Amino acid sequence: MEAILLIENVMKKLIIIGAGGFGREVLCWALDCQTVQNDWRVYGFLDENLRALQGFDCPCQLVGYPSSYIPAQDEVFICAIGDPRIKLSICEIFMSRGAQFINLIHPTALIGLNNKIGQGCIFCPRSAITTNVTLGDFVTINAYSGIGHDAVLGKGVTLSAYCDVTGNAVLGEGVFLGSHAVVLPSAKVGDYAIVGAGSVVLKTVKAGVTVMGVPAKQVAGF
């Protein structure tokens, strides 16, 4: 009984920033994680839209607005926003307020040896990183996406579902990959570039541009 009380006294409240579609997905993964750890329990969402959860049978409710929320010492956070620019902007604000971000690692995610993982990362179901991978802060690896050996992903990168980032690939800060996108070995994707769904990057993508196709070609940006 004393051990149970001790766990309850130190357990944190997990707050999910963003109550949109991805936020509700992250809630599912967080509830799965609760079954294998005793560090925190899901407490609720932060979102500027008071109606974000309207019409959904959601076990958690909104507890505040990101723009004005002040983190407490017994709270930890994860940011469930797909857009890298918005995600990084919000996370930087929360860090300046003293927020503590956790890594949300689903029980089915696979993580190999000798990897470097920043804070605030999300590993969705069946995601995988192999070995000697470097992930910056606030990287999101969606379901069934994989990252090969020695790859480097900058902070804020978002991989949609079923992406394949192969060995020695480099993704800069804030890169977004659409579903089923592939980055081939040693290819480089510049900061805040967007790789469209189903595209295959062979070599180099300039910063700030959007590419699509097989092979991926620039369709927007400069």
Side-chain angles (χ1 to χ4, degrees), residues 1 21 38 42 57 62-64 71 80-81 89 104 106 109 131 163:
M1 180 64 71
N38 290 308
V42 180
D57 184 13
L62 295 177
V63 297
I81 295 175
S89 176
L104 187 69
H106 193 269
T131 187
C163 290

Side-chain angles (χ1 to χ4, degrees), residues 84-220:
R85 288 185 185 275
I86 298 174
K87 173 171 59 173
L88 286 175
S89 176
I90 290 176
C91 289
E92 288 171 1
I93 291 171
F94 268 75
M95 289 183 66
S96 72
R97 297 173 183 169
Q100 177 186 353
F101 284 87
I102 65 163
N103 289 328
L104 187 69
I105 302 174
H106 193 269
T108 63
L110 302 177
I111 299 178
L113 298 175
N114 302 317
N115 296 300
K116 297 179 181 178
I117 301 172
Q119 65 178 320
C121 295
I122 299 176
F123 292 76
C124 296
R126 309 295 180 184
S127 59
I129 62 175
T130 59
T131 187
N132 298 104
V133 172
T134 300
L135 303 181
D137 296 338
F138 311 115
V139 170
T140 298
I141 308 173
N142 220 309
Y144 293 93
S145 286
I147 302 173
H149 64 86
D150 304 296
V152 178
L153 279 65
K155 67 179 181 178
V157 168
T158 295
L159 306 186
S160 301
Y162 293 95
C163 290
D164 185 9
V165 178
T166 58
N168 292 296
V170 178
L171 276 58
E173 178 178 315
V175 168
F176 181 90
L177 267 59
S179 298
H180 292 274
V182 177
V183 181
L184 292 185
S186 300
K188 296 182 179 180
V189 182
D191 294 351
Y192 294 98
I194 298 172
V195 180
S199 300
V200 178
V201 175
L202 302 183
K203 294 182 179 180
T204 301
V205 174
K206 294 189 298 182
V209 304
T210 298
V211 297
M212 293 189 69
V214 182
K217 295 182 180 180
Q218 184 174 336
V219 295

Side-chain angles (χ1 to χ4, degrees), residues 9-15 39-41 69 71-77 100:
N9 288 336
V10 300
M11 193 173 294
K12 303 282 188 177
K13 299 175 182 176
L14 174 64
I15 297 178
D39 296 327
W40 48 261
R41 287 292 181 267
Y69 198 83
Q73 290 186 348
D74 65 342
E75 296 171 344
V76 292
F77 296 83
Q100 177 186 353

